[in-house]
Amino acid sequence: MDYKWLALCRPGFENELSAEAKELGATTEYTQGSGYVLFELSSKGFTPKPWRLLELKDFIFARQLFMVAARLDLNNEADPIAAIVSKVRQVVKNHHTIKALEAIVAETPDTENMRSVLSEAQLVAQQIADRLGRFGVRFIPGRGAPRLHLFFENDAQAIIGLSSPQLSSPWPMGAARIKLPSEAPSRSARKLEEALSLFISPDEIYTRLKPGMKAVDLGAAPGGWSWTLANRGLVVTAVDNGKLTPEALKTGLVTHLEVDGFTYRPEKRVDWMVCDIVAGGPRVAKLVANWIRRGMCGETIFNLKLGSPAGRLAEVRRAQTLLLKTAKEASVHISLV
Ligand code: SAM
């Protein structure tokens, strides 16, 4: 069976996303700068819930992923909402395993010119959910039902998609909705919060980030990431020659060391090492590999700053290969997410 998929990305990263899909054996179609890639992938035999065949974590450059269930041209529709409702009902009927939907999310490419379409699409999605309810389509959050995606390529072309909430992004368009308290030392704090919620399931977050755990934050100034970890009760060594804000130090759990993050080593293994040093990706990958080789941390989240657009995917793959090889040589088990 062939299945069509749609993956959303940051506009400008379609090439990388398309290359990732091709690595999985897909044929792809996309337009530069569009913010999404459509691809077709064959699967062996019949599968009752095909939207579970792929997951967002299979991709590095995708923000959101769903299986395309139908495409609609609304240009000649007198009542576009009725047309969408009718198509969704058909989709639900065609997939016998669908007993209910988890939710309906409105999405568009993340481009400037689609902002107004998105706000309209959000209103439309609500009306569609109401009308579907009247036709007996139930919405039951949190029970493994598929999520319905209503994606507008433009103001007249819509795609109806299905995803498993566990295997796709919890946020519409994959854009994290993380509100930071005003005392956060930097907007970077949101970056770490987003990574934590993406990489660690809600069931595990309180055991993998526990009060009293030790963390090292490399490239810590002005202190957003240290502040985030300290707010969860971790004891943080913040390494940076730059200054930390008073807010970052206020918890009493953050110790600032004005030393070089590339040569700093903790006296004892720590639970977490996070790194946001502003330096080239390959250098940071080597630094992380060194921490793995020496078994200096249990878990790590790091920011890999990518270089020229032409080599971005290759750069990520080189970093992945280095980290896996290093772990194997050091007999350390790692899982990359
Ligand atoms: N994560 C931080 C936060 O939440 O506030 C922001 C980090 S900022 C993007 C990058 C930091 O890397 C800068 O503060 C810079 O001083 C630091 N940096 C650059 N080279 C470094 C090095 N060799 N060792 C430690 N820090 C370094």
Side-chain angles (χ1 to χ4, degrees):
M1 284 286 280
D2 291 341
Y3 294 103
K4 270 206 165 191
W5 295 83
L6 190 145
L8 279 157
C9 63
R10 186 167 155 188
F13 285 78
E14 300 81 9
N15 265 335
E16 286 77 6
L17 182 51
S18 164
E20 287 192 273
K22 280 186 187 151
E23 283 177 359
L24 294 171
T27 46
T28 64
E29 46 172 291
Y30 64 96
T31 313
Q32 289 288 352
S34 60
Y36 66 102
V37 173
L38 279 158
F39 59 92
E40 196 166 296
L41 199 58
S42 298
S43 135
K44 282 191 199 105
F46 170 75
T47 165
K49 295 180 179 174
W51 51 89
R52 291 189 180 171
L53 283 170
L54 283 181
E55 64 176 310
L56 187 64
K57 281 187 186 165
D58 294 331
F59 296 86
I60 293 159
F61 291 94
R63 289 172 165 179
Q64 181 61 290
L65 176 75
F66 57 80
M67 187 195 84
V68 174
R71 270 177 114 160
L72 280 125
D73 185 345
L74 302 168
N75 267 317
N76 300 317
E77 296 292 347
D79 183 348
I81 293 183
I84 296 170
V85 168
S86 153
K87 203 58 148 182
V88 172
R89 289 179 68 204
Q90 202 178 314
V91 165
V92 171
K93 212 168 139 201
N94 289 348
H95 292 280
H96 302 291
T97 55
I98 301 181
K99 304 290 176 231
L101 294 168
E102 186 250 5
I104 175 165
V105 286
E107 295 174 314
T108 64
D110 188 13
T111 52
E112 202 53 54
N113 58 337
M114 289 300 284
R115 298 272 185 274
S116 58
V117 177
L118 178 63
S119 4
E120 214 169 299
Q122 284 160 340
L123 297 174
V124 164
Q126 189 49 53
Q127 294 176 42
I128 289 171
D130 294 344
R131 283 212 212 173
L132 285 169
R134 274 182 252 140
F135 284 115
V137 177
R138 293 179 306 152
F139 286 88
I140 307 180
R143 290 275 195 87
R147 180 181 297 151
L148 188 83
H149 296 256
L150 185 58
F151 176 81
F152 284 87
E153 291 180 83
N154 52 52
D155 56 4
Q157 317 282 329
I159 289 180
I160 292 168
L162 293 168
S163 76
S164 162
Q166 288 75 29
L167 306 178
S168 56
S169 170
W171 308 297
M173 294 158 65
R177 286 205 194 135
I178 290 166
K179 280 215 171 87
L180 282 186
S182 55
E183 65 270 22
S186 68
R187 284 180 35 224
S188 284
R190 189 179 288 123
K191 218 167 19 178
L192 182 60
E193 278 296 348
E194 182 178 348
L196 291 173
S197 36
L198 203 62
F199 299 141
I200 304 181
S201 73
D203 307 346
E204 292 187 340
I205 193 89
Y206 296 113
T207 47
R208 285 171 63 186
L209 286 152
K210 273 198 300 212
M213 279 183 165
K214 305 275 186 295
V216 168
D217 180 2
L218 303 175
W225 288 26
S226 292
W227 176 86
T228 297
L229 295 171
N231 270 340
R232 292 176 182 271
L234 279 79
V235 180
V236 186
T237 303
V239 179
D240 200 309
N241 279 318
K243 294 280 169 253
L244 295 199
T245 64
E247 286 78 16
L249 297 165
K250 212 158 65 182
T251 53
L253 292 172
V254 178
T255 307
H256 183 197
L257 292 184
E258 294 189 40
V259 295
D260 181 4
F262 284 101
T263 51
Y264 169 80
R265 300 202 205 309
E267 277 172 23
K268 277 193 198 161
R269 176 185 166 92
V270 293
D271 301 290
W272 276 92
M273 182 274 278
V274 295
C275 175
D276 193 19
I277 292 182
V278 58
R283 200 167 169 219
V284 169
K286 269 192 207 150
L287 170 68
V288 177
N290 195 29
W291 276 69
I292 292 173
R293 185 178 302 113
R294 292 167 178 265
M296 294 194 288
C297 60
E299 304 209 40
T300 177
I301 288 180
F302 55 93
N303 189 5
L304 206 60
K305 294 188 195 300
L306 300 177
S308 78
R312 289 190 292 221
L313 180 58
E315 207 175 315
V316 176
R317 294 286 181 240
R318 273 197 296 276
Q320 283 180 315
T321 306
L322 172 70
L323 298 179
L324 289 170
K325 181 169 164 272
T326 306
K328 198 169 167 205
E329 284 167 3
S331 302
V332 173
H333 170 75
I334 62 163
S335 56
L336 296 178
V337 287

